[in-house]
Every structure is written in structure tokens, then in C-alpha cells.
Amino acid sequence: MILAADIGGTKIAAARVDDTGVLASEVIQTPTPARTGTGSVVAAAVALLQRLRSPVDRAVAVSTAGVVDVTTGTVLAATSSIAGWAGTPLGAQVSRGLELPTWVLGDGNAFGIGLADAHRAANLLALVAGTGIGGSVILGGEPLLGAHHVGGHLGHVGCAQAAGMPCPCGREGHLEAVASGHGILAWYLAHGGDPAVATTAELTRRPGDDLARAALATGGAALGAAAGGLANALDPDLVVVGGSVAMAGGPWESALRASYADALIPALSATPIVVSRSGVETVLRGVARFASRRLTP
């Protein structure tokens, strides 16, 4: 058994997972004390995992947002959603708290492994559209981590629909600037949308607002084009799009699918794209599988 946790900016989720990726307990959650320091966050995660712990648990697997050095379990870079998270030696601290070997993986790559197992796809491209854009490239069942640990951070590929739009990374014209939840809302407001709208989810509840539909369609088209372009380069078995924005449906999903199909080269025209509405359970399964493959028999 693996103790698995996912640390997000608003909540920490945990479950026990067997070595085949099957949940062996209910998923339990606790709020993330994101503003009170990294020590509080790690302590909350350890306390949550202690509630699930059993004598047969062999290791701990933790997924988290940010850039993770999986060889040391250290968070190299992160957004401000958890204060001071960059530089946290997360693996060492959790291992010390639970006295078990611990592996840490970025949440996008954990999601990708979980999806690849669920769909029985050895080679999979996953894009996660939420507040930002994340994702994973799974090759032969393993995530492509890259030379600098940023493999799977797919939000910073160039995007025609984002021309002139600022990305949170400080540059312009990246996919995240127009296809993330933040980006779709920013496009809507920049084109004269109702300033009272505060979230992308609200745009899906405005069927009479043509600009809201256009914002969702623009974000979907941008994501679909990027997915198709990346598929052309990687030749996956399957492309999966997930995240909170994937709940939008309607004009967003129609534009996504049309743009994806237009971008594919003929040899890949049959490569399917799936819109997944799976959540944290997939992440927990994925990070547990990552850890279990690294345990010695």
C-alpha cells in the first residue's frame, strides 16, 4: 500500500492506494493553510496521512503544483498560491514526519500517469486547463520530466489566439494567456465583457451573452490547436484534456474538438481526444503508481 497525497492551494487530499493504482480507502481532505508558512502545509499533509496510515503501508507519494525535482523531492518553483512553496524540501520533510520513503511529483504528471493507467495508454498527452495550463507527456508509461524538471508544463507554447495577451510568466502570446480559466476571463473582459463577471465558470451560465460564448470558444480553439500541434510532434495513443475548464462543455468543447481535428496531420487523424472530468482520485492514483514503480521488491 502507498499513502498518497495531493497538495493544492486550497485543499490537501489523501488516500491509500494499492500497487496497481486502485484506491484502498476513501479520499479525505483538509484545507491547505497556504498563508501560514510551508511548515504548516507540510504538517497538515502529514497529519492527514497519519489518519489513514496502516502497518502495511510501504511508502508515501505526494503530488503538488509547481516544478519538482523528483530526484530530491524538492519544489524548485511554484506560484504564490502557497506562500514560500518554492524551495521546500517536501520529500525530506514528509519522509521525516511519517518515517517512510517518500516520492514527490508535479500534479500534472501525476494526473497524466493516472489517466494513462485508466485508459491503458502507454503514450499519452494530457493538458490540464484550470487556473493555469498544466499537463503531462507520458511515454512508455512514464512522464517526460525533462532536463530541468519542467516536462509537462505545456502552458507556455506559442498560441496565435493569445497574440499580445500577457501570460503570468511575464511574456506574451502563450497558451495559458488565453486558454486557462484566468485567460478566458481576461479575454472576455479585454473585449468589453461585463466587469461584474468574476470567474470563467460564470461565463458558462450566460447563454445570452455572445461575448461570453466567444471567450469560451476562443479558449477552446486555442487549446485544441495546441493539443493537435503537440500530438503531431509526439504521436501519442490518446490526447486527454482535463481540469476545471473542461467542465465548460458547449461552445468551449465544440471549438476544442474542431480546432484539434484541423491541426492534426493526416497520419494522425484517427488519434482520439477525450475530455476528462475526473479529479483528484486520478492524481492520487497516478502519484502512487509513480512511487510504487520505484520501490524495491
Side-chain angles (χ1 to χ4, degrees), residues 76-124:
L76 299 178
T79 67
S80 59
S81 60
I82 300 177
W85 200 231
T88 301
L90 182 58
Q93 292 180 353
V94 172
S95 181
R96 188 160 53 246
L98 291 164
E99 299 183 330
L100 285 170
T102 300
W103 281 266
V104 183
L105 186 65
D107 54 4
N109 283 317
F111 188 59
I113 295 171
L115 289 171
D117 277 3
H119 290 279
R120 301 182 185 278
N123 304 296
L124 178 140

Side-chain angles (χ1 to χ4, degrees), residues 241-262:
V241 177
S244 58
V245 175
M247 309 296 282
W252 175 86
E253 186 168 341
S254 297
L256 171 89
R257 293 186 178 279
S259 185
Y260 172 74
D262 286 345

Side-chain angles (χ1 to χ4, degrees), residues 26-283:
E26 65 175 340
V27 176
I28 61 174
Q29 298 183 357
T30 190
T32 303
R35 306 263 66 87
T36 59
T38 59
S40 297
V41 175
V42 174
V46 168
L48 193 66
L49 291 166
Q50 287 282 22
R51 287 169 52 190
L52 294 169
R53 188 169 184 176
S54 117
V56 299
D57 296 327
R58 297 184 62 203
V60 182
V62 181
S63 75
T64 179
V67 176
V68 175
D69 181 346
V70 302
T71 62
T72 64
T74 299
V75 180
L76 299 178
T79 67
S80 59
S81 60
I82 300 177
W85 200 231
T88 301
L90 182 58
Q93 292 180 353
V94 172
S95 181
R96 188 160 53 246
L98 291 164
E99 299 183 330
L100 285 170
T102 300
W103 281 266
V104 183
L105 186 65
D107 54 4
N109 283 317
F111 188 59
I113 295 171
L115 289 171
D117 277 3
H119 290 279
R120 301 182 185 278
N123 304 296
L124 178 140
L125 169 65
L127 292 115
V128 183
T131 303
I133 299 287
S136 183
V137 177
I138 305 295
L139 300 175
E142 287 290 314
L144 178 65
L145 300 175
H148 302 93
H149 312 288
V150 297
H153 287 74
L154 303 175
H156 305 288
V157 297
C159 173
Q161 291 92 338
M165 294 186 64
C167 180
C169 74
R171 290 165 172 77
E172 293 183 349
H174 289 178
L175 180 64
E176 186 163 314
V178 71
S180 64
H182 172 81
I184 291 171
L185 180 61
W187 189 96
Y188 173 77
L189 296 174
H191 286 78
D194 183 350
V197 175
T199 68
T200 299
E202 291 177 50
L203 299 179
T204 66
R205 299 191 290 269
R206 298 172 67 92
D209 187 336
D210 290 341
L211 193 61
R213 293 176 60 84
L216 291 165
T218 299
L223 195 63
L230 289 165
N232 289 341
L234 298 166
D235 190 14
D237 300 310
L238 176 69
V239 176
V240 181
V241 177
S244 58
V245 175
M247 309 296 282
W252 175 86
E253 186 168 341
S254 297
L256 171 89
R257 293 186 178 279
S259 185
Y260 172 74
D262 286 345
L264 288 178
I265 59 176
L268 300 184
S269 61
T271 303
I273 186 168
V274 172
V275 175
S276 172
R277 293 172 175 85
S278 60
V280 71
E281 294 89 351
T282 300
V283 176

